Amino acid sequence: VGSEMCKETGFDDVPFSCILTKLEKYYNVKITVSDPKLLNYDSCTGKFREQDGVEHILRTISKDHPFEFSINEEKDSIFIYEK
């Protein structure tokens, strides 16, 4: 029996700001948002696996919400800004 369990994280109608807070804790990164109005997006619903990574999750959410993001070289800081 392998010890590699696929942990899934689900969001069901959760505000974008709450998702960012969860991602910060889950992936141990600092997420900075350039403009507070970006946090006012409609709630998000989705399911992600732990191994998807924070970059994949943000890229997926950005398909429905107009934002871009950059990740620093150390992969411990993410900056979210308007498209």
Side-chain angles (χ1 to χ4, degrees):
V1 178
S3 62
E4 295 179 29
M5 300 276 288
C6 286
K7 281 177 123 178
E8 283 193 346
T9 301
F11 303 111
D12 188 18
D13 204 27
V14 176
F16 186 54
S17 58
C18 291
I19 290 174
L20 295 181
T21 300
K22 286 184 178 189
L23 291 175
E24 281 186 317
K25 290 177 184 169
Y26 203 72
Y27 291 102
N28 195 29
V29 294
K30 173 69 180 142
I31 299 176
T32 305
V33 179
S34 67
D35 188 338
K37 76 178 180 186
L38 292 173
L39 298 174
N40 294 334
Y41 289 145
D42 292 337
S43 298
C44 301
T45 299
K47 194 176 285 187
F48 302 97
R49 292 182 310 270
E50 184 176 19
Q51 68 266 29
D52 287 342
V54 67
E55 190 171 350
H56 171 78
I57 294 170
L58 288 174
R59 197 176 304 118
T60 301
I61 295 171
S62 73
K63 289 177 183 177
D64 292 327
H65 300 290
F67 70 86
E68 303 262 340
F69 64 93
S70 61
I71 301 176
N72 70 344
E73 281 186 41
E74 293 79 21
K75 304 243 184 246
D76 63 359
S77 182
I78 299 170
F79 184 65
I80 293 178
Y81 52 94
E82 284 187 273
K83 276 191 174 176

